[in-house]
Structures are given as structure tokens and as C-alpha cells.
Amino acid sequence: MVATAEAAATNGSVAKLGFAAGQVVQEYGYDQDVDEDFRLAIEEICGSELEDENYGDVVDAVVLWWREDDGDLIDALVDALTNLAERGFIVLLTPKAGRVGQVDPSDIQEAAVTTGLHTSGSTNAARDWNGTRLVAPKTARR
């Protein structure tokens, strides 16, 4: 029963972040510490496997697993924007406070602003990971 409750919570987090059926999702930062249940929930909702960093076509969303020692977050977000469709979004997954590799929220905010993104939601994505949804600001309508 616990596994079912955890799976339901993970699927809820995935849906809350904006993943939906038919989306193509590219993944960056995959390593042995990622949450496999979260990855599987995205694949289940979208109906296809996650594409890796070398995928060269347009994607609807990007999953970016990021830890404090992974390098420059601004550079990583710029890379993540490369194949992202005009109305696409990035889900930045960072270790929760107190976990190895945790990222200061001010670093996330600074990187988002520098790359022209803003946060449009966050969630307790998985047991050890927070998820922050980043999107480009909507353009002014005429």
C-alpha cells in the first residue's frame, strides 16, 4: 500500500509540473542519484521514454537534474533551452535542503533571471528532490 501511495504522489507531482500525454521530454543531468520513480511517472504520463542530452529535435519539456557541484547552472539552462519549443518548459530538479548537493534557492532564481526564465511553480517532486518549473515570460499580446 505504501508503494501505491508513493506512486500516486509522484504521478501527482509530475502532473502538477505540467507534463501531459504526447509530450516529448529531454533529460539532462542523469546520474545514479536520480529518482527513478519520478522518471517513470513522466514516461507513463507522456507515453514515451525520456530523450537523452544528445537528442537533436524539438522538445516540449526538459528535465534537468542539478546538484550544487554540477558546474554552472546558467550554462546548463542555456543548453536545456536549445531544443525547447516556444511554449515549452524546464523542470529543474534539485536535492532537498539537507541532502548532498542541495542548491540555494537564490542561485536558482539568479540563473533563471539571467537566462530569461521565471519560475511558474514548484513541488515536492520526489523523496529527495524538489522540482521547480521554469518558463519563458509570455510575450505581450497586441
Side-chain angles (χ1 to χ4, degrees):
M1 189 74 150
V2 173
T4 303
E6 286 179 20
T10 300
N11 285 349
S13 294
V14 168
K16 179 179 178 183
L17 288 167
F19 294 102
Q23 290 177 329
V24 176
V25 180
Q26 187 172 20
E27 180 180 43
Y28 289 84
Y30 179 87
D31 205 345
Q32 65 188 21
D33 63 345
V34 303
D35 189 283
E36 291 296 332
D37 290 336
F38 188 80
R39 295 180 76 250
L40 291 172
I42 295 170
E43 291 176 347
E44 183 178 311
I45 286 174
C46 294
S48 63
E49 292 184 7
L50 299 176
E51 300 294 343
D52 68 15
E53 295 179 13
N54 298 318
Y55 185 73
D57 208 350
V58 176
V59 298
D60 301 298
V62 170
V63 171
L64 173 57
W65 301 93
W66 191 259
R67 305 132 195 105
E68 181 183 43
D69 295 332
D70 282 350
D72 187 340
L73 180 55
I74 293 168
D75 288 344
L77 288 174
V78 168
D79 289 345
L81 287 166
T82 302
N83 295 337
L84 193 62
E86 185 175 325
R87 297 195 185 268
F89 60 93
I90 296 170
V91 172
L92 175 62
L93 294 153
T94 56
K96 290 182 179 178
R99 301 326 196 272
V100 174
Q102 77 180 42
V103 178
D104 191 295
S106 65
D107 293 340
I108 296 170
Q109 185 61 30
E110 179 184 342
V113 169
T114 301
T115 56
L117 300 169
H118 72 273
T119 59
S120 71
S122 61
T123 189
N124 176 10
R127 185 169 43 109
D128 294 323
W129 296 87
N130 286 320
T132 304
R133 188 174 194 265
L134 301 172
V135 297
K138 293 181 180 175
T139 58
R141 293 186 177 154
R142 298 179 193 216

